[in-house]
Amino acid sequence: MAIRPPENWRAGMAEEARELAAGALDSECACMLYPESLLQATEDALQVFEEDVSALTAPSDERVFDTIKRVVQRLNTISEDEQHGGAGYDTDEREQLCEYIDQTLSEHGIDVAALATRNGIGRAEITDAWRDW
């Protein structure tokens, strides 16, 4: 199951459950459905991130990176938490989470490409310093 912004996750989960029940989704794919606890924890972390980004006004690079660091560390904790039955983020979800972070920053007026360039990294590397998933 692909990582979706919080407002879209539930619809995607319901759709996949319907497809599985109807036989349209291979039962082997059922293992890719994440437990509710992981989804809810991820939604909560992304919601806090959105609130943190919304609160940034004319932020320094340091403040933006502090905000990125906090969400990445929250997601690390979620991905490693045993209460989720060993479920964590797969490659597609990791990429989508990074894209979501980039997109959220961009939607709030932060020029992510310029931020990365000023700090000597590629745009896709803005989470790398803290990311375990």
Side-chain angles (χ1 to χ4, degrees):
M1 168 170 171
I3 296 293
R4 295 175 174 85
E7 64 275 4
N8 295 327
W9 275 21
R10 299 294 174 203
M13 288 172 42
E15 179 181 337
E16 287 186 8
R18 282 190 300 276
E19 289 175 3
L20 185 61
L25 182 63
D26 187 341
S27 62
E28 290 184 21
C29 293
C31 64
M32 297 182 340
L33 299 176
Y34 291 111
E36 175 66 22
S37 60
L38 179 86
L39 294 171
Q40 187 61 56
T42 303
E43 287 179 9
D44 294 346
L46 295 177
Q47 182 62 46
V48 169
F49 173 65
E50 288 181 18
E51 292 166 5
D52 289 348
V53 172
S54 292
L56 295 173
T57 55
S60 65
D61 287 1
E62 182 179 357
R63 287 197 59 216
V64 174
F65 277 116
D66 284 345
T67 303
I68 295 168
K69 178 182 178 179
R70 282 193 306 275
V71 71
V72 168
Q73 289 177 333
R74 283 184 197 114
L75 294 169
N76 286 343
T77 300
I78 293 164
S79 185
E80 296 165 2
D81 192 333
E82 288 302 316
Q83 79 169 353
H84 309 305
Y89 307 122
D90 291 326
T91 301
D92 288 342
E93 288 75 30
R94 289 189 291 267
E95 290 173 2
Q96 290 178 31
L97 284 167
C98 289
E99 183 178 313
Y100 184 81
I101 290 167
D102 183 304
Q103 183 177 35
T104 299
L105 293 168
S106 296
E107 288 173 358
H108 286 86
I110 295 169
D111 185 340
V112 178
L115 172 75
T117 298
R118 286 192 302 273
N119 288 274
I121 59 175
R123 183 175 187 150
E125 299 172 41
I126 64 170
T127 62
D128 288 0
W130 311 283
R131 189 164 53 91
D132 294 335
W133 34 271

